[in-house]
Amino acid sequence: MLSREKLENNQVWLYVIVLILAAWFGLFLPDIGAQLDVTISVAIAILMYSMFSQIPFTSLKESFANRRFIWALLTVNYIAVPIVVWLLAKLLPDYPPLLLGVYLVLLTPCIDYVIVFTALGRGNEKIMLISTPILFITQMLLLPLYLFLFIGVDAAEIVDPGPFLEAFFGLIVIPLGLAIALQIYAKKSHVGNKIIDFSAWLPVPFMALTLFVVVSSQIGKLSTYIDLILKVIPIYFAFMIIMPIISRIIAKWFKLDIGSGRALIFSGATRNSLVVLPLALALPDNLSTLVAAIIVTQTIVELAGELIYIRLVPNILLREEIA
């Protein structure tokens, strides 16, 4: 019988299969693939709700209980990561749409499957789960600031605020509000608890569905941008090599225990691609395909990297101390 734990533990392989099928579908049945464009917003909205429903917003006070870990988490994600990303971006062409895609995906820490990978990498997934409300709120507040600092006025020229704000409210704020309302309702109602429990099954299948509809509908358009996409892949690999090392140093600096240190490493290296994807798709048509492709490319590279992380982090990078 399929359990939620088994589904989550095998999600990477599910995504790999879905990506292969989506690529085949988009390349060999392009007319049908292109028609899936209209389903992207619905799939993302349900995915966002399902992810937000699992973030313990009603226990926000508990997030501040381990202040040492929180400070380490904020240091890694909002000081170390931006510096690394800014330096790596210097290796890319000075093309604002390309840089926007890279900055959108690399500056936002993951709040969903990082918890599963932390558990598989023998880290403290509970402290990671409790910290997700802080990570989500801080990244939404700081992302516009970093985009302005890194791209400047060029960002304003690229981003049309109307569709951008519409996507933000429709695909992030509304699902977030619904998830928080249901969490509050669940504290008082058995029915609310049932809805939240059912929602916990949705992130994996809807992430798979989102990857399928995005890749199958967009892959046929990528030939125009293939040179630019190939340029970002080494940057993503470099990020995945550099950030675990820096995160380990910061974990030692803050004197975190082994489980918390591993959680910090996974947080520093795992990015929030599907939360920023709606923002990419809200860009003008001539840019949204490129920026979305840059974001999805990071997801593909990251999923491969996580399979290495779950073995590398506990066995080599941050091993149990032998008494």
Side-chain angles (χ1 to χ4, degrees), residues 115-312:
I115 298 161
V116 174
F117 287 123
T118 299
L120 293 174
R122 287 183 270 158
N124 187 340
E125 76 276 13
K126 292 180 181 177
I127 200 172
M128 196 68 252
L129 173 64
I130 291 171
S131 303
T132 50
I134 292 175
L135 278 182
F136 177 71
I137 293 167
T138 48
Q139 68 183 260
M140 289 295 106
L141 292 174
L142 291 174
L143 181 60
L145 172 64
Y146 283 124
L147 290 179
F148 175 75
L149 289 175
F150 291 175
I151 307 181
V153 292
D154 288 334
E157 293 175 3
I158 296 169
V159 178
D160 180 356
F164 201 77
L165 289 172
E166 185 179 328
F168 180 74
F169 280 97
L171 300 179
I172 294 179
V173 174
I174 291 175
L176 174 63
L178 179 60
I180 293 174
L182 277 170
Q183 286 185 22
I184 295 169
Y185 178 58
K187 284 185 173 289
K188 306 172 184 177
S189 165
H190 180 67
V191 175
N193 267 314
K194 288 285 188 183
I195 295 172
I196 292 292
D197 288 343
F198 172 75
S199 300
W201 282 86
L202 301 180
V204 174
F206 271 91
M207 182 165 176
L209 177 61
T210 301
L211 287 172
F212 181 84
V213 296
V214 169
V215 172
S216 60
S217 64
Q218 303 298 315
I219 195 168
K221 308 172 188 176
L222 297 188
S223 57
T224 309
Y225 304 111
I226 193 66
D227 290 345
L228 292 174
I229 292 169
L230 290 175
K231 290 181 189 301
V232 302
I233 292 175
I235 299 301
Y236 293 152
F237 277 117
F239 180 87
M240 295 202 74
I241 293 168
I242 293 168
M243 277 315 304
I245 297 169
I246 292 177
S247 299
R248 184 186 185 282
I249 293 169
I250 293 174
K252 291 291 185 182
W253 184 27
F254 279 89
K255 298 179 180 178
L256 300 182
D257 60 71
I258 297 294
S260 298
R262 290 172 181 167
L264 188 71
I265 291 170
F266 276 95
S267 180
T270 311
R271 303 291 90 193
N272 213 5
S273 59
L274 291 188
V275 167
V276 294
L277 188 58
L279 307 182
L281 294 171
L283 295 170
D285 289 341
N286 59 323
L287 297 176
S288 63
T289 300
L290 170 61
V291 178
I294 289 169
I295 290 171
V296 173
T297 299
Q298 191 276 336
T299 302
I300 296 168
V301 172
E302 183 171 88
L303 290 173
E306 295 291 346
L307 295 176
I308 299 171
Y309 280 170
I310 60 177
R311 292 165 177 79
L312 184 72

